[in-house]
Amino acid sequence: MTTPEASNIRVVTTIGHVDHGKTTLMDALLAANNIISSRMAGKIRYMDSREDEQERGITMESSAVSLRFNVIDRSAEGGSSPRTYFVNIIDTPGHVDFSSEVSTASRLVDGALVLVDVVEGVSSQTVSVLRQAWIDRLRPILVINKLDRLVTELRQTPMEAYHHLSQLIEQANAVMGSFFAGERMEDDLRWREERERRLASKKDAVAEQAEAILNDEAADDFQEKDDEDIYFAPEKGNVVFASALGGWGFRIAKFAQIFAVRLGIKETNFRRVLWGDFYLDPKTKRVISHKHLRGRSLKPLFVQFVLENVWAVYDAILLNPNPDKANKIVSTLNLKIPPRDLNSKDGNNLLSLIFTQWLPLSTTIVQTIIDIIPSPRAAQPTRIPIMLHPDLFESHVDPKSKLEKDLYSCDAGESAHIVAYVSKMFAVPTAQLPEHKKQVLTIDEIRARAREARIRAEESREQSRTGSPSPAPGHTPSEATIDESESQGDQKEATETLLGFARLYCGVIRTGSTVACVLPKYNNALEPTHPRNKAYVVNATVDALYTMMGRDLVPVNSVSAGNIFAIRGLEGSVWRSATICAPSTAGIKGVHAPGWMINLGGVNRQAPPIVRVALEPVIPADMPRLIRGMKLLNQADPCVETFQQTNGEHVIVTAGELHLERCLKDLRERFAKVEIQPSEPIVPFRETAVKASDMAPPKTPGASRGTIHGTSFQNFVTFAIRAVPLPDLIADFLRSNLIIIKRLLADWSRLDSGTSEKVDDEAEKAATTGDILRVPTVHPNQFWDAFQAKCGEAGPEWAGIVDNIWAFGPQGAGDCLLIDTRKDQERQSLKRRLDRAKETESGDLQRVTREFDVDIETGFQIATFHGPLCAEPMEGMAFFVERVTIDKEGIEKENDQNRLSQITGSLISAVKEGCRNGLLDWSPRLKLAMYSCDIQASADVLGRVHGVVAKRRGRIIAEEMKEGTSFFTVSALLPVVESFGFADGAWPIYFSGTNVD
C-alpha cells in the first residue's frame, strides 16, 4: 500500500441520531470502493460487525475504514488532472448509551458528516453530537438523509418540501449559533479576567489605576470573531441532500453545472442563487430576488430546477408508473439501463438504477469531503492548540518548539517526532487477527510444501529400513511437545487481544520500534523526570500495525502522519487512552534528549455511566475468571466502570439499559466466558428533607426543629446538632462546583502530607458513587468569594456561614454542610485549613479536643453517605454543631486506662444517628434520578403516550407538532428506576403495533 501525502488525506466521522442512516451511508461508500456489492449496499450493514448489531439494526461500536478514491481535480485555469485521495472514515453509533464512542472518534478526525433524518429533523442526539463536533473543532457537513420520505410517505409537493428543508437547515443553524454565542460569552469572561489581572499587576508598578488603563488600552481590545463560517448553507457546498438507502445524493453545485449553460449564467454565480428566495423571471429570463416579485407567484430556483426534477422521476416510476415517461427520462439523462430492468415491474429497482447513475451518492459525498474537510496539514494548526490548551481562545498560536512545529505541520519525515493519540482500546478475538488467520497459499508455496513432504517421507522410509526409531510425521520430540501444549494452553487463556484505536499526528511509526506511552494525567507543564510525571510514562514496543477496514484488519509495516490505524503492543501499558511519543522514526532507544514528550489529553465523556449492576458467577469457582473478564471489559469499553464495593460485590456501571445488555453479552461470550448472574439494576437515589405544612411536632421540645441532643459512652461527650434543609440557591451552586471542591481538597491533602501522590480521577469516582459532574461555574481561586455571595443572597441566616463551614459531605465533597456554631471554643473552619498547610497544636487537651472533632466529622460523613430512608447519600442538608461538652476528668481517667476508643466509637455512632434523626425531624424526601426522553408519535396515539409515561411515574414537560408532518414530539422526564423495558417492552403492549420512535 503506497504512502499517501498528507495533503491527499481526509479524516472524517459520521455522526447523528440513531436510525438516521449513518451505517447505510457507509455501505454506499464501501460499494464505490468495490468492497461490497452495490446491490447489497444499505442491506448488509458492513460496518456493524457484531451479531447483536445486526440483530437490532443499530451500531454499538465505532469502526473505521480507509478508502481510496480517484478524483479529477479542476484547476483555476480550467484544466483537470487525476488525483488519488485517501479518506479515513469512522462510523459511530447514534444511540445515547454509546455516545462515548462518538467522543473517542471525534478526537481523531478533522471533520464530520452530520446525518439528519429529513422527517424527524434535528433530534436530541443530533444536538449532542453537534456539540461534540464543536468542542473538538471539527468541520461539519450536513447530510439531509431520507429525502425520498418527503415524496413517498408525506406526499409533499416540491414547494412544501422546500419550506420543510429550509426549516430543517434553520434548526441546525440555530444549534450552531447557540454554541457560538456560548463560547463568545466564555471568551469575553476570560478576556475580562485576564485584563483585570494585567491591570492589577500594572497598578502595583504605577501610581494610579487610570494611568494603567491608558497604557493598556491599545492592547486590550476584545477581538470579535466572525460566525459566518459556522453555519450550514447549500450555496457553500456544506449541505448534501441524500437518500442513503436509495444510493443517491446531490449538492446544488450538480444542478448549477447542468442548468448554468442552458441559462447562459456563470456556474459560480448560479450556484449562489440556486438556494434561497431567488426566482427566474419568465419574461426576461433573469434571476430576481424576492424584492422584485411584485405580487407574482413564482417558484424558487431550487424548486424549479432541482426538486421538481427529482419529484418527476418518482412520479413517473413509483407514484404513477408511466413507461413512456420513464423511457423519456432515461434517454434525456443519457443513462445506460438495460431494457430488462427498464421494462421491469419492480419500480424500486428501476428507481435505484436511475438515481445511482444520475446522482451517485458516493461521488457526492467524496467530493464534498474533499472540498469542505481540510487535510491534516491544514486542520492540525487549528485543532492541536485546542487539544494542548483547552482554555485557549486565540485563533492562531505559533509553535514554540520543534515538537509543536512537527504537530502543526503534520510532518511525515524520518526526523520528525512521532506523536499519535490512542483514543480508546478495543478487543479483537485473537483468532481473528491477520497473523492467526489461514493464509491463501500461492502456487510456489504449494510446490515447496509438496517437496518438503516428499523429503520427509523418503527420510522416514530410509530410517525404517535401518531400524532406527522415528517420530510420527509432523511431531517433534517430547520436550517440544510439552512446550507446544503449554503454549496452546496460554493461547486459549488469551482469547482476546487489546488493540489501540489511534491517529498519527506527525512522524512515521513502524513495527518493532519502542515508543513512550504518555498517560492522560501527565502534566505538560512539568518535566518528564518530575516525580508526578514519572508514573504516567510507560514504554511499549509496537508489535503490529493495522489499517482498519471495518470488520477486517490489514497488517502494515508502517503508518505515516495523518492516518487512522490500530496498534498492537499496548496491552498492559495503556488502560484506555494515551499519547504515543518518540523523538524520531527510530524510536526511543538510546535517546536522552528532552522535549519530545507531550500529552494530548483525555477524552471527555458526554454521558456518564449511571446504571449499576452487581455481578456474580453462577458457579462460585469461576469468580477469578469473572474478575479478569471485568477488567478486560473495563479496558475495551470507554464508557463502562467496574469496581468492588465495600461489601465485596463486584459492580459494573453502564450508560444505559442497552449498554448493560451489550456488556453482559460480552462478558458471557468473550471476556469471562462464564455464566453470570446479574442483580437488579442499582439505581442511585438521594435523600433530603423539605419544610412542609403537615409536619409532626419537633423531636426536641423547646428547641428549633431539627435539633437533636446526643451523648457518647457514659456521657463523657455531649453535643447538640441542628439539621436544616439548604436553600436551592446554595445547593445548586455546590452541585455545579463539585469538581472545584474535590480539587481544593486534593491540593490541600498533597500539601498537608508533603507528598505528590496521585489524585483519583473525578469522573471515575463519580461513576462509582452515581454522582453527575457538572461544568463548574467559577474558578478555584474564586470559589469562596462566589460561595459567600450565594450565601448572602440566600438570606441573613446563611450570610456568615462560609468561615464556619467545618466540612462538606458526603465523602468530603458534596452539597451537605457541617457548620460549626459553638460559642465556647475556637470554631472549625475548612476555609482556614485550606489556606494553611498544617495547623499548630497547643497542649494535650487541645489535641484530645481535636480528636473528638475528627470523630464528629466522621459521624457526619457516615450519616450523609448512608441516609435514614434507604441508606442512600443525602443531598441539600446543613448540620449546625451548636454545642459540644467534654468531661475532662473522665476523659483523662479513660485515657489512662486505654479505653478512649470506646468513647470515640460511641461518639461517631451518636453523631451519625443525630444527623439522621435531624433529617427525619423535617419532611423527608427521596429524590429519583431522572431520564430526559423524546418520544415521537402520531396524533391518534398521543393520549396513550401520556398514559404510558404517567404509569411509569414520568412527567410530560413539552409537546409540539413537527410542522409539515403528522407527528408530535413529546419531551418527558422519566425516573431511571422505571425506565427499564420502556423502549422495548412498553410500546407493543399499549399501542397494539403502532410505531412509536
Side-chain angles (χ1 to χ4, degrees), residues 468-495:
S468 60
S470 61
H475 283 72
T476 56
S478 58
E479 295 181 1
T481 305
I482 295 174
D483 294 340
E484 183 180 352
S485 63
E486 290 178 355
S487 65
Q488 289 177 356
D490 294 340
Q491 187 175 356
K492 289 181 180 178
E493 288 290 333
T495 56

Side-chain angles (χ1 to χ4, degrees), residues 688-692 695 705-706 722-728 730-731 797-798 815 875-880 918-919 921-923:
T688 189
V690 297
K691 182 179 180 181
M695 294 186 294
R705 180 175 293 278
R722 180 167 57 93
V724 180
L726 271 179
D728 293 337
I730 299 177
E797 181 185 358
W798 306 93
D815 57 352
E875 187 175 88
M877 294 296 297
F879 298 91
F880 294 86
L919 181 144
D921 205 14
W922 296 85
S923 181

Side-chain angles (χ1 to χ4, degrees), residues 245-498:
L245 190 61
W248 60 270
F250 63 87
R251 291 189 296 173
I252 61 173
K254 172 73 175 179
F255 288 88
Q257 183 181 359
I258 296 173
F259 292 103
V261 179
R262 299 183 184 179
L263 297 175
I265 305 174
K266 288 185 178 181
E267 181 182 337
T268 54
N269 294 337
F270 190 55
R271 190 187 308 164
R272 293 194 190 100
V273 298
L274 193 52
W275 176 266
D277 294 332
F278 296 97
Y279 309 86
L280 183 66
D281 193 326
K283 295 182 179 179
T284 61
K285 300 298 180 181
R286 296 182 62 183
V287 175
I288 59 175
S289 66
H290 66 281
K291 297 180 180 179
H292 300 88
L293 281 177
R294 298 172 184 173
R296 292 177 293 179
S297 178
L298 300 180
K299 298 177 183 178
L301 294 178
F302 186 77
V303 174
Q304 184 176 356
F305 293 101
V306 180
L307 293 184
E308 287 188 347
N309 288 305
V310 175
W311 259 242
V313 177
Y314 270 92
D315 182 71
I317 305 298
L318 206 60
L319 301 179
N320 301 302
N322 190 326
D324 295 335
K325 286 186 178 180
N327 290 327
K328 185 177 179 181
I329 289 172
V330 171
S331 61
T332 303
L333 297 176
N334 195 21
L335 306 179
K336 297 180 180 179
I337 298 178
R340 180 188 62 185
D341 294 324
L342 191 59
N343 298 324
S344 173
K345 295 183 179 180
D346 187 0
N348 288 319
N349 181 48
L350 178 58
L351 197 68
S352 176
L353 291 173
I354 292 176
F355 273 110
T356 51
Q357 291 189 35
W358 178 34
L359 305 170
L361 177 62
S362 59
T363 304
T364 303
I365 294 295
V366 171
Q367 192 61 54
T368 307
I369 291 174
I370 293 172
D371 294 343
I372 303 300
I373 306 300
S375 66
R377 188 164 290 167
Q380 288 180 196
T382 303
R383 297 193 63 235
I384 293 296
I386 299 297
M387 296 171 69
L388 296 177
H389 313 286
D391 295 332
L392 186 72
F393 59 94
E394 284 84 2
S395 58
H396 178 74
V397 177
D398 294 325
K400 301 176 182 178
S401 62
K402 185 182 184 302
L403 175 60
E404 292 189 1
K405 184 178 180 182
D406 292 344
L407 276 170
Y408 291 4
S409 62
C410 190
D411 192 349
E414 293 289 329
S415 61
H417 291 82
I418 293 177
V419 177
Y421 184 72
V422 180
S423 67
K424 71 169 185 173
M425 302 291 288
F426 66 102
V428 175
T430 305
Q432 294 184 10
L433 291 175
E435 295 86 350
H436 299 146
K437 286 185 178 181
K438 292 184 178 180
Q439 300 294 331
V440 180
L441 300 178
T442 63
I443 295 178
D444 294 336
E445 291 174 340
I446 295 174
R447 289 172 179 170
R449 290 197 175 190
R451 284 195 299 270
E452 293 176 0
R454 286 196 297 270
I455 293 172
R456 286 197 300 267
E458 291 176 358
E459 291 177 354
S460 177
R461 287 194 295 270
E462 184 65 27
Q463 290 174 354
S464 62
R465 284 197 298 270
T466 59
S468 60
S470 61
H475 283 72
T476 56
S478 58
E479 295 181 1
T481 305
I482 295 174
D483 294 340
E484 183 180 352
S485 63
E486 290 178 355
S487 65
Q488 289 177 356
D490 294 340
Q491 187 175 356
K492 289 181 180 178
E493 288 290 333
T495 56
E496 298 285 336
T497 300
L498 286 174

Side-chain angles (χ1 to χ4, degrees), residues 633-654:
L633 174 66
N634 199 8
Q635 279 191 275
D637 193 323
C639 193
V640 71
E641 298 290 345
T642 60
F643 64 96
Q644 186 176 8
Q645 293 193 133
T646 54
N647 59 3
E649 288 184 332
H650 292 274
V651 174
I652 178 175
V653 193
T654 62

